[in-house]
Structure formats: C-alpha cells, structure tokens
Amino acid sequence: MASGPSPVSRTQLLRWQFDLTWSLFEYHLERLEPSDFLWEPVPHCWTLHRSADGTWEPDWAETEPDPVPVPTIAWISWHIGWWWSVTLDHMHGRQPRKRTDIIWPGRGAPTVRWLRGLRTEWQTVLDGLTDTDLDATASFPWPGDPAYTVAHTVAWVNTELLKNATEIGQLRLLRAAS
C-alpha cells in the first residue's frame, strides 16, 4: 500500500521557503560585478556615499519621500543587511543595533560575503526553531503585538528577502542590457 508524503512541520516549510528564496537570490549574487552596485539607472536614486572616515553611508529619510527614489544595488544590499542584522539581534535576544550601526562593506565580493554570512546565521536560527517556538509573540518587527508571532517574523524575512532579491535582479538585468 502506497502512502502519501510525510507531513511537513511549519518550521520545515518556512525553511524550504527561505532556501527557495535564497536560491533565486544567489542566481543574481554570483553574477554581480563591483560596478553594478553604484549604478544609478535614473537621476532620482538612493545610494551610498563615502563619509569623511571612509565608511559608506546610505541615503535616508525619516519619512518616505514622494516620489520614492529608485534604490541602487548598493542601497538595497545595505538595506538587506540592516533589517536582517536587526532581526537576527532580536531572534538571538541581543540588543538590536541602530540603523546607523549597520555598515555596508563596499562594492562586490565584500557585500556578497556579508549577505552570505547573514544567510548562514539565519539558517542557524531557523534550524533551532521548533513549531512551538514559532507560536511565541514576535519581538520584531511588531514588538509587543500578540497578534504577530515568530512565525510571522520568519515569513516576513522570507518575503522581504524575495522582494529585495527581485529588485537587485531587475537592476542587474537592466544594467547589463544598457
């Protein structure tokens, strides 16, 4: 008698979704050239700039501008590093860093290594979660709202990463075609 597939836990499903999202992102990460990162497809862009101390600083506004600037690959990759680092801080019970504490490593391989390192740290978090853990109230990005759980945070990370990976991929393809 043939049996159907084994049931999949919520943690397994969320890990599968993350791995799928990452594989789509990796397609673009491995093809990025250093010159792709600061390419500005239009005049109204958000990017990163060298500060007086040599570190990179992102364009930023406390309220979203209208019209919304088109972000560069550099800005999007910094943005991924920012929200993911803060999410990891929350998931590990650490004091979350401020936006200004997240330093972009620079064009090309340094940023790709940074993002891959965040991926590895996130995989460790995912591998340590149980279905019971997923039911705990989320500490981020909806602090103290019992309507949102750790499962919501994991699903949000997967979705946010997919959105940002798509933006990077589209910019990379547009630059290659120009």
Side-chain angles (χ1 to χ4, degrees):
M1 178 164 153
S3 64
S6 301
V8 176
S9 72
R10 292 182 300 150
T11 54
Q12 290 170 325
L13 181 59
L14 287 165
R15 174 60 191 260
W16 175 86
Q17 183 187 43
F18 172 75
D19 290 341
L20 175 62
T21 298
W22 186 265
S23 70
L24 297 169
F25 189 29
E26 190 64 45
Y27 175 84
H28 295 292
L29 279 180
E30 64 191 23
R31 289 165 176 79
L32 284 173
E33 299 293 329
S35 56
D36 291 334
F37 284 82
L38 294 172
W39 177 67
E40 296 184 9
V42 297
H44 186 58
C45 280
W46 266 2
T47 192
L48 281 94
H49 308 275
R50 287 277 188 186
S51 67
D53 68 3
T55 59
W56 292 95
E57 292 182 348
D59 291 326
W60 186 258
E62 291 303 322
T63 57
E64 192 166 282
D66 184 18
V68 175
V70 174
T72 62
I73 291 172
W75 193 93
I76 298 166
S77 62
W78 164 81
H79 178 71
I80 293 169
W82 167 46
W83 63 254
W84 215 352
S85 293
V86 172
T87 303
L88 284 161
D89 289 343
H90 281 276
M91 296 295 282
H92 287 301
R94 300 185 296 234
Q95 177 68 34
R97 287 167 274 182
K98 296 176 188 163
R99 174 185 54 80
T100 53
D101 293 336
I102 307 301
I103 305 298
W104 188 65
R107 295 178 282 220
T111 289
V112 171
R113 275 192 304 275
W114 180 47
L115 296 173
R116 287 177 177 152
L118 291 169
R119 170 197 180 223
T120 299
E121 191 175 348
W122 186 246
Q123 287 174 312
T124 301
V125 167
L126 293 178
D127 290 345
L129 292 174
T130 65
D131 279 357
T132 301
D133 295 331
L134 292 176
D135 294 330
T137 300
S139 62
F140 184 79
W142 313 278
D145 186 340
Y148 294 101
T149 64
V150 170
H152 288 98
T153 298
V154 174
W156 171 78
V157 165
N158 292 348
T159 302
E160 185 72 17
L161 182 62
L162 183 59
K163 177 189 82 73
N164 290 156
T166 302
E167 292 166 335
I168 286 174
Q170 189 65 41
L171 284 166
R172 187 187 69 77
L173 292 170
L174 285 170
R175 182 169 188 276
S178 66

